[in-house]
Amino acid sequence: MKFTLSWLNDHLVTKASLDEILGYMGKAGLEVEHVTDPKKALAPFTVCKVLEAEPHPQADKLRVCKVDTIDGVKQIVCGAPNARAGMTAIYAPLGTWIPGLNMALDKKPRAIRGIDSHGMMCSTRELELGDDHDGIIDLHGDYTVGMPASEALGATDAVIDFEVTPNRPDWLGVQGIARDLAAAGAGRFLRNDVKKVSGSGDCPVEIKLEAPDACPMFAGALVRGVTNGPSPDWMQARLKAAGLQPRSLLVDVTNFISLDRARPLHVYDAAKLTGAVVARLGRKDETLEALDGKTYKITEDMCVIADGSGVIGLGGVMGGQSTAVSAETSDVFIESAWFDPLRTARTGRVTGIHSDARYRFERGVDPQSCVDGLNLALALILEYGGGTATKGRVAGSIPARIQKVTFYHGDVERLTGLVVKPAEMKRILKDLEIDVEDAGDAWYLLPPSHRFDIDRSADIVEEIARLVGYDQLPTRSLPMLDGMKQGVAATRQSRVSIARRAMAARGFLEAVTWSFMAKEHAGLFGKIDEALTVANPVASELNYMRPSALANLAQAAQRAANRGERSIRLFEAGPIYLGDGPKDQRTVIAALVQPAAQRHWQGAPQPYDAYAAKADLFAVLAALGQPGDKFQVGPATQPHWHPGQSASLKLGPKMTVANFGALHPAVLKALDVDGPVYAFELNLNALPVMKAKSTKTKPVLERADLTPIRRDFAFVVDADVAAGELVRHAQGAEKLLISKVDVFDVYQGQGVAEGKKSVAFEITIQPREALKDDQIQAIMDRVIASVSKGTGGVLRG
């Protein structure tokens, strides 16, 4: 919805500036989207006078002008054909932004065919005030040099564009906006009541209502001998500011009243009407050629306006071509009716027509505005188009609103905390045109006919709070109840929270997927348990409680990839269901990466692989306070992992804590997911509870001045022995002094027997006191013995 500041002043007496008006609009709840202020836009431009205009010596179409400007006499090279000595124009100094050209003038004089030009003189198109680009603006009248261009051109009216909420259709008229601004304290509201137009003789056009539920009231009148020429300049200017193109007096009057009073109207060429004008429901096989040039099929649920020739309009939506006014129209019939909002909305949706009338009627037009709208249209048409009007004819009626709202003024403080004096409440309600009957604590209020949204005490509280200002609402904390203690998160909750932060810090995006999946897909992730089948699924493909979160994550990643995303990194913290029905629920952190080929001028970066998935898993474990060296690495324990490219983390031979690596290609194919995909799934329930760290100061057992001692070992073991087993047994040989064991080589080939492999690792000993050579050698011997006994390995020479 757009309107100008001068238009608002027709309904509001105010001394507020533009910025203050915008502040009041925000206070009243009118959300301003954009403001066009020509004073600011044209601030650099001023009036100038051309003293001389001589032909350019190097160009036939250019003139060298001496111009008296606000900056003194300037030499300006101009290509406009109307540039001449003695004319008054608009001057733009050097460095000025020219909106119509979307460019700024140079800050220094520019040589045009060898002659410097100090600025320019502008056309209306260059100032975005019109379409004329053939010549510069030629002002006629008494203008002084240096006068602001906005004043000289009459472009001082700011245009305000704001968003109308669906519950406030009265804001679709400038009058309604002014009413709320007055209530907010911006000024005094002018009702501008419409005077009745006394016509001569009865209206010869009969009006009939055959569908009172669809059109309960229809007011109309005839004007004879009208001249349908252009509308007055002030009306055209306001329509243009609101985004409408002026057409003719009759059409512009209806559009103006729609914007000014939120009252849509329609005009018919009376010479084209046949018989009575009837508001009824549509009939089978009827059609309408509408004003937009399209033909629409009429249904039996639509409200139509018809005459003896058939349908001539869709009630509350759009009129028809057969009775449209034109420049030759001399007798016009004016329609001012009220149409049911729901039926109007349905008609608009079926036809796909988007019109200003539909926009207003489906939100709700003041039902008591039919006669006022008709009289205002008659007055404007008679004033600017001449002719004689008949008396108005009214068919049907709309009962006045008589149900009052009981309002307890104490509710304002009770519900909002605002302390508002009863006198101030009454002022606000009066400005909103709400009748107040004071009965002590309870007031009986009668809202005006244009406020459909007020029907209870809480609605009045909202109105008062809105217009006093939401910024005045007090800020108070809820009192702490006696005996309340701060909640302590359970172990599972803490783990989930920590793990989520850790994954987000590593660049993963959190996803929330279904706790269900297709039963056929669930079989790919483990044994099917009928107890986990969903009896009444939300969708046929979500009929089983998921045994893993990875299937849904993989499909989510594929959907993102199908839409152009690259290198998808997702994680989810949620439940999975195993074993004995829904009660056997585990909480997991599952993460998944679908790597894509990367291009870079330095070469492709290292792709994400199973080892990267392991690194992300161990980062989560570290964040959870779980040392990675306490876990044993073994083969993956579930069928959906790729053999040879996956592994598991265990606490003992039976307790699997996590699996990581590549998902099996056959599983990805069944899920219709492109591979490769790397992932991990960590069972938070399986992690041990770590002992609380003591806050007491402990003696320093390690000495910083003692250098770590590192030794390398290489053992030949059976090919099926995991390297992690060697690490575990080496670490166990001297738990206090061996701080780290790192595998750095695995070899099979020449020099190693078939079925065997060589595993090399480095141990780090961190002394707590000075160690002698024999003590160090004793530790080495214990490592060799422990690894040999535990794995059958032989120290490689």
Side-chain angles (χ1 to χ4, degrees):
M1 173 72 183
K2 295 180 180 180
F3 65 95
T4 64
L5 201 56
S6 65
W7 196 345
L8 178 68
N9 291 334
D10 286 353
H11 302 282
L12 182 71
V13 178
T14 181
K15 295 181 180 179
S17 65
L18 173 61
D19 289 339
E20 289 171 335
I21 288 294
L22 297 177
Y24 282 116
M25 290 183 71
K27 178 180 178 180
L30 296 130
E31 183 179 350
V32 177
E33 292 190 329
H34 183 71
V35 178
T36 302
D37 187 358
K39 285 185 177 180
K40 291 183 180 179
L42 298 175
F45 303 93
T46 54
V47 170
C48 66
K49 291 193 176 182
V50 181
L51 303 178
E52 297 178 8
E54 301 295 336
H56 193 295
Q58 303 297 329
D60 294 339
K61 295 184 178 180
L62 298 179
R63 286 177 173 81
V64 180
C65 304
K66 285 188 177 180
V67 185
D68 188 8
T69 73
I70 192 172
D71 300 322
V73 177
K74 298 290 183 180
Q75 177 177 276
I76 296 176
V77 177
C78 181
N82 65 334
R84 67 187 188 279
M87 74 179 298
T88 303
I90 299 299
Y91 161 69
L94 294 172
T96 301
W97 175 264
I98 310 299
L101 299 179
N102 197 30
M103 59 164 281
L105 299 180
D106 294 336
K107 294 183 178 181
K108 295 182 179 180
R110 179 186 176 191
I112 301 177
R113 295 290 184 94
I115 296 180
D116 287 345
S117 182
H118 299 254
M120 71 178 290
M121 293 181 286
C122 304
S123 67
T124 56
R125 183 187 294 181
E126 288 162 345
L127 297 183
E128 294 187 335
L129 296 176
D131 297 325
D132 185 10
H133 193 55
D134 294 333
I136 58 177
I137 295 172
D138 187 0
L139 297 172
H140 298 280
D142 186 16
Y143 299 97
T144 59
V145 172
M147 175 186 289
S150 59
E151 294 182 17
L153 298 172
T156 59
D157 209 359
V159 179
I160 301 171
D161 185 6
F162 75 100
E163 183 67 25
V164 179
T165 56
N167 67 319
R168 292 302 304 273
D170 56 309
W171 283 348
L172 290 169
V174 179
Q175 184 188 59
I177 301 167
R179 183 187 296 111
D180 268 38
L181 291 181
R188 178 170 58 87
F189 177 61
L190 299 174
R191 284 184 55 90
N192 293 330
D193 291 329
V194 178
K195 296 180 181 179
K196 181 179 179 181
V197 175
S198 299
S200 58
D202 295 331
C203 177
V205 180
E206 184 180 1
I207 301 171
K208 295 182 180 180
L209 300 181
E210 295 183 0
D213 290 340
C215 178
M217 185 173 182
F218 192 126
L222 183 70
V223 181
R224 296 185 178 93
V226 68
T227 300
N228 189 24
S231 58
D233 291 342
W234 66 265
M235 187 180 292
Q236 292 191 41
R238 290 186 176 180
L239 294 178
K240 288 179 181 179
L244 296 179
Q245 187 63 35
R247 298 183 180 276
S248 66
L249 173 65
L250 296 177
V251 175
D252 291 355
V253 164
T254 61
N255 286 335
F256 170 75
I257 295 174
S258 180
L259 293 168
D260 188 65
R261 303 295 177 108
R263 160 35 68 182
L265 303 167
H266 189 66
V267 288
Y268 302 87
D269 190 326
K272 300 176 182 178
L273 293 174
T274 304
V277 173
V278 184
R280 60 171 173 82
L281 296 181
R283 297 169 184 168
K284 190 176 181 181
D285 298 329
E286 286 186 319
T287 59
L288 170 71
E289 184 183 0
L291 289 173
D292 61 2
K294 299 178 182 180
T295 299
Y296 297 96
K297 183 179 179 181
I298 304 300
T299 68
E300 298 175 0
D301 186 49
M302 296 178 181
C303 178
V304 301
I305 307 299
D307 66 357
S309 65
V311 178
I312 59 174
L314 289 169
V317 179
M318 185 174 284
Q321 287 279 18
S322 63
T323 56
V325 297
S326 65
E328 291 75 32
T329 299
S330 60
D331 295 347
V332 59
F333 177 70
I334 306 169
E335 165 203 299
S336 181
W338 193 88
F339 299 98
D340 174 60
L342 295 179
R343 193 180 298 272
T344 302
R346 287 196 298 269
T347 300
R349 284 195 296 269
V350 171
T351 59
I353 296 175
H354 297 277
S355 65
D356 287 344
R358 173 197 167 184
Y359 186 76
R360 284 164 171 77
F361 274 118
E362 69 183 4
R363 282 161 176 75
V365 172
D366 184 355
Q368 303 299 326
S369 65
C370 291
V371 174
D372 280 351
L374 176 63
N375 282 313
L376 184 54
L378 286 171
L380 290 172
I381 291 172
L382 292 174
E383 181 178 356
Y384 296 104
T388 58
T390 67
K391 295 179 181 178
R393 182 190 287 266
V394 179
S397 64
I398 298 176
R401 186 173 183 175
I402 59 174
Q403 185 176 1
K404 295 183 178 181
V405 175
T406 303
F407 168 61
Y408 300 93
H409 53 80
D411 284 351
V412 173
E413 183 175 2
R414 182 177 66 86
L415 295 176
T416 69
L418 287 171
V419 178
V420 185
K421 295 180 179 180
E424 176 64 8
M425 294 186 197
K426 288 184 178 180
R427 181 200 67 79
I428 292 174
L429 297 175
K430 181 182 178 181
D431 287 342
L432 293 175
E433 298 188 321
I434 299 175
D435 293 335
V436 179
E437 179 184 337
D438 190 344
D441 292 337
W443 295 355
Y444 300 103
L445 311 180
L446 184 62
S449 56
H450 59 266
R451 291 303 300 272
F452 314 107
D453 58 321
I454 297 177
D455 58 11
R456 65 191 69 186
S457 180
D459 296 331
I460 301 297
V461 173
E462 181 183 1
E463 290 298 294
I464 293 173
R466 174 175 67 92
L467 295 169
V468 168
Y470 290 134
D471 58 334
Q472 301 299 315
L473 291 172
T475 302
R476 298 176 184 170
S477 299
L478 293 174
M480 180 69 74
L481 299 179
D482 294 338
M484 286 191 64
K485 295 182 179 179
Q486 185 175 0
V488 178
T491 301
R492 181 190 64 82
Q493 293 172 318
S494 297
R495 287 176 173 177
V496 168
S497 178
I498 293 170
R500 289 172 65 192
R501 290 196 296 270
M503 293 305 299
R506 295 184 72 82
F508 283 76
L509 299 177
E510 184 172 8
V512 179
T513 67
W514 292 101
S515 293
F516 317 107
M517 63 187 300
K519 190 174 183 179
E520 58 182 295
H521 291 159
L524 303 171
F525 291 80
K527 184 180 178 181
I528 292 295
D529 185 346
E530 292 301 327
L532 295 175
T533 302
V534 180
N536 187 23
V538 295
S540 59
E541 68 275 12
L542 299 174
N543 58 349
Y544 194 82
M545 307 295 288
R546 66 182 185 185
S548 170
L550 293 176
N552 293 345
L553 275 182
Q555 291 177 323
Q558 186 61 46
R559 285 193 293 272
N562 292 342
R563 288 161 175 78
E565 294 293 332
R566 294 183 177 183
S567 296
I568 314 300
R569 300 166 68 92
L570 299 177
F571 82 93
E572 181 175 8
I576 62 172
Y577 303 88
L578 304 171
D580 301 327
K583 292 183 178 180
D584 192 7
Q585 175 179 320
R586 316 287 172 85
T587 299
V588 300
I589 292 289
L592 177 144
V593 175
Q594 190 179 37
Q598 300 291 322
R599 296 190 300 175
H600 196 273
W601 64 274
Q602 289 182 319
Q606 188 71 21
Y608 195 94
D609 56 14
Y611 295 102
K614 178 184 178 183
D616 286 328
L617 170 61
F618 272 74
V620 174
L621 290 171
L624 293 170
Q626 302 283 338
D629 56 8
K630 70 163 41 175
F631 300 101
Q632 292 86 52
V633 178
T637 59
Q638 296 168 322
H640 54 275
W641 295 102
H642 192 309
Q645 295 187 34
S646 60
S648 64
L649 289 187
K650 293 177 175 292
L651 282 173
K654 295 184 179 181
M655 176 61 73
T656 300
V657 173
N659 289 278
F660 65 89
L663 292 182
H664 200 293
V667 173
L668 296 177
K669 183 177 180 181
L671 295 174
D672 196 21
V673 174
D674 298 333
V677 172
Y678 300 95
F680 73 79
E681 192 166 50
L682 170 63
N683 180 0
L684 296 179
N685 299 83
L687 295 176
V689 177
M690 303 303 292
K691 293 181 179 179
K693 295 182 179 180
S694 174
T695 58
K696 294 182 179 180
T697 302
K698 295 182 178 180
V700 177
L701 299 178
E702 299 179 3
R703 289 174 52 183
D705 61 330
L706 296 177
T707 304
I709 302 168
R710 295 182 176 88
R711 295 288 186 270
D712 294 345
F713 295 87
F715 283 87
V716 177
V717 295
D718 292 339
D720 59 353
V721 175
E725 288 295 306
L726 280 78
V727 171
R728 184 167 64 88
H729 288 290
Q731 183 80 56
E734 180 56 70
K735 294 182 179 181
L736 293 178
L737 297 181
I738 296 178
S739 61
K740 188 166 59 171
V741 179
D742 291 321
V743 175
F744 62 84
D745 182 58
V746 177
Y747 172 75
Q748 286 179 291
Q750 186 176 0
V752 177
E754 186 176 353
K756 300 287 185 176
K757 65 181 178 182
S758 171
V759 179
F761 57 85
E762 176 191 73
I763 67 169
T764 300
I765 301 172
Q766 180 59 58
R768 299 185 178 184
E769 59 184 7
L771 296 177
K772 297 180 179 180
D773 289 345
D774 58 338
Q775 292 175 308
I776 296 173
Q777 186 58 47
I779 296 174
M780 302 298 102
D781 294 340
R782 287 197 294 273
V783 169
I784 295 170
S786 178
V787 173
S788 298
K789 182 179 180 181
T791 66
V794 177
L795 187 66
R796 188 178 178 187

